[in-house]
Amino acid sequence: MKLSQVLNSLMAETNVSAYKISKETGISDRLIGYWKKGEKMPSAENLLTIANYFGISVDYLLTGEDKIKPVANDELELLTYYKELPEREQMKLIGRASALAEVYKEQVEAEESEEPTIEIRHSYYKVSAGTGYNLNDGDQWDTIEVPDTPEANKADFALTISGDSMEPVYYDGDIVLVKSQPAIDNGEIGIFIIEDNGYIKKYGGDKLISLNAKYDDIMFSDYDPDDIRCMGLVIGRV
C-alpha cells in the first residue's frame, strides 16, 4: 500500500481534513494535498509529525503494515537522545537518519535486482573464430559466474571467442556456453579441435564454415581425420 492510500484512509477513518491537519501540525495543507495524490513524498520530519498526529508508526504510514509497532529498547534509547537535543540538532539528526535510510534502501534494491548466477568451468584458452588456439585436454580451466539461465544449466563449460570470423552472430570477446557431445548436426555451431587448435565454427558436413564471408572455410580433406574432433554444441552465450 502506498503512502497516499494510507493517508487518505486515515483521514477518512478519523474524519479530518487537510486544513485541520495543517492547522494542528503547522504543515501546509497544500503539501498534504500533494501527499494525498501521491505527487510528492514527505520529508523525514513531516513523516514523523504525521505519524505522531495519527498515533501510528512511520512504517505503517509508508507501507500500511504494522500499525502499532512495539518500541524496542534501542529505539527508546535513540528517542531519549533525540529529545535531549535542541531543536536545531534534532533536525540535523533526522536529516542524517533520512540520508542513511535512503542509502540502505538503494543497497537493498541493488541486491534484490541482481540476477541469480551459477558457476561454470571456463577455459583459460580462447577458441578462435580465425586461426585457432590450442585446446588440449590438459589445458587449464577456471570457474566463472554466469547468469542462471536454462542454457547455462545445460552447458558443461564455457569458452571465450577470439576473432571476427563468426560475426555477425558471435563477436570477439563473447563467452559461449557449450554442451559436450562428440558430434553435431549439419548447420549447427560447435567447438572443434583440429590438430590441437580450437575453433568455433558452423558444421558443414565436410568442412567448418565461417559466418564472416571474408574468411575461408576449413576443409576436412586438408587434415588427417584422426586430428579432427568435435568438443560440443554451442547452445548460447553469456
Side-chain angles (χ1 to χ4, degrees):
M1 189 180 293
K2 296 180 180 179
L3 179 140
S4 58
Q5 295 173 305
V6 176
L7 182 57
N8 278 295
S9 177
L10 288 169
M11 292 176 66
E13 289 174 9
T14 56
N15 194 28
V16 295
S17 64
Y19 175 77
K20 180 175 174 61
I21 297 174
S22 174
K23 189 175 180 180
E24 295 181 6
T25 63
I27 299 173
S28 163
D29 58 350
R30 186 177 179 184
L31 264 182
I32 298 171
Y34 286 140
W35 303 340
K36 288 181 62 181
K37 295 176 183 177
E39 295 176 354
K40 290 185 178 180
M41 282 291 292
S43 65
E45 178 185 356
N46 285 336
L47 278 172
L48 187 59
T49 300
I50 294 297
N52 289 337
Y53 179 83
F54 286 106
I56 59 171
S57 68
V58 172
D59 281 349
Y60 180 79
L61 184 58
L62 289 170
T63 66
E65 300 175 1
D66 298 327
K67 190 170 186 177
I68 302 175
K69 184 179 179 182
V71 180
N73 290 334
D74 55 352
E75 292 176 319
L76 288 172
E77 184 179 0
L78 287 171
L79 184 59
T80 300
Y81 293 146
Y82 173 82
K83 289 181 176 180
E84 290 176 353
L85 295 172
E87 184 176 356
R88 182 177 178 182
E89 297 304 319
Q90 287 177 344
M91 295 304 100
K92 288 182 181 179
L93 181 60
I94 290 173
R96 290 171 184 168
S98 176
L100 182 60
E102 186 63 29
V103 170
Y104 175 73
K105 180 183 176 183
E106 290 175 357
Q107 290 175 343
V108 170
E109 289 176 348
E111 290 173 0
E112 291 177 348
S113 65
E114 288 182 358
E115 285 186 315
T117 60
I118 61 172
E119 292 187 342
I120 190 169
R121 291 175 66 231
H122 173 260
S123 174
Y124 280 121
Y125 294 91
K126 299 178 180 179
V127 287
S128 177
T131 57
Y133 279 86
N134 187 275
L135 197 65
N136 286 321
D137 290 338
D139 287 342
Q140 295 184 14
W141 297 75
D142 61 359
T143 300
I144 61 172
E145 288 190 353
V146 300
D148 187 1
T149 63
E151 292 82 6
N153 280 280
K154 294 177 184 177
D156 295 299
F157 60 92
L159 294 171
T160 300
I161 296 174
S162 175
D164 62 353
S165 76
M166 294 302 285
E167 293 182 3
V169 178
Y170 298 101
Y171 290 83
D172 181 54
D174 280 356
I175 297 177
V176 293
L177 301 168
V178 185
K179 182 179 180 181
S180 294
Q181 54 188 66
I184 64 174
D185 292 335
N186 212 349
E188 291 182 326
I189 306 294
I191 303 299
F192 296 87
I193 293 180
I194 299 180
E195 294 184 345
D196 293 334
N197 289 319
Y199 298 88
I200 174 172
K201 296 290 181 183
K202 180 179 177 180
Y203 179 58
D206 61 348
K207 60 188 173 184
L208 298 182
I209 303 169
S210 299
L211 300 183
N212 189 334
K214 73 179 184 179
Y215 287 88
D216 293 332
D217 298 333
I218 298 175
M219 305 303 298
F220 289 162
S221 58
D222 294 336
Y223 299 90
D224 185 332
D226 292 336
D227 290 334
I228 302 172
R229 187 156 51 107
C230 176
M231 291 287 291
L233 174 68
V234 175
I235 59 175
R237 82 184 81 205
V238 177

